[in-house]
Amino acid sequence: MKNDNQNLSDDLRLSGNQPRYLRIAQALVADIADGRYPIGSLLPTEAELCAQYGVSRSTIREAIRRMQQLGLVSRAQGIGTRVEARYSKSSYIMSTQSVDQVMQYASETQLHLHTVEDVIADDDLSRLIGGETGRRWILFAGARSVPGDPGPGDPGGPFCWTNAYIAARYADLRGQVKLGDAPITTPIYQQLCDRFGEQVGEVRQTVKAVAISELYAQRLQVEPGSPGLHIVRQYLNLASEFLEVSVNIYPAGRFEYSMRLRLGTVG
């Protein structure tokens, strides 16, 4: 039988390509959610966490800083790090260094379906997601949360609203993904690949800052006009044909995107 430290080590290996401070933050967040550190209790000291994870104080401090941003802990001189909440306010930290990690995002979260319907792309939608005007898409729309975090309608609200458009040739997926079912935990593009024998060949991503519209402010439980991120991801198959295009809206304070880029070999 594994002890607690072995379980933590296993958790860290699951996301081994992320920066260490993020892996430690994720492990501590999971421990808080599981009740290992109840609300009002203190986390181990910096020195104890350094010994437990084999990292420097600066790494531990950055991990705790991220947890403070999520509203999970507070710090006080001479007291330590106190647990303030069991769950974050539907916040999510996304760290990417590769296409695989961009794709991993959907598998780490869950989509609570609100709408499934046929859509004919007008000029505005075509400019937003790509493809030609008049093209038919199947829209799967809903709120996205992290398993264990508050879901739609709960205090704090979800961390994202997703409109996922799939090409009409995959309309049979509607028989597999239905309203009223449990939240979707297998990415839609992955379901397309499994069902239709496709393979993702390329992911294109566009990020911009927006003021959240009244419609999405209501769905995300924020003030209309408040700041947010708008991310469009296009998933294409090996023939560069659309599999899925997801339009994602994130309120400020509930989502963080961390990216590491490396220079290629010059010459």
Side-chain angles (χ1 to χ4, degrees), residues 40-94:
S41 67
L42 296 178
L43 293 184
T45 65
E46 286 185 2
E48 290 170 335
L49 290 172
C50 288
Q52 180 175 341
Y53 291 103
V55 297
S56 67
R57 282 183 180 267
S58 61
T59 299
I60 294 299
R61 286 171 183 165
E62 182 62 17
I64 291 174
R65 186 181 73 83
R66 297 306 174 100
M67 295 170 66
Q68 285 180 279
Q69 291 177 336
L70 301 182
L72 289 171
V73 299
S74 63
R75 303 194 76 180
Q77 187 74 26
I79 297 176
T81 304
R82 183 180 184 272
V83 177
E84 300 291 350
R86 186 174 179 187
Y87 299 116
S88 65
K89 296 180 179 179
S90 293
S91 298
Y92 181 78
I93 300 173
M94 179 179 180

Side-chain angles (χ1 to χ4, degrees), residues 7 31 33 36 39 78 151 164 178 184 193 199 202 215 224 228:
N7 287 329
D31 285 343
R36 183 178 182 189
I39 294 175
K178 301 177 182 178
I184 298 174
C193 291
Q199 183 176 339
E202 182 181 2
L215 172 62

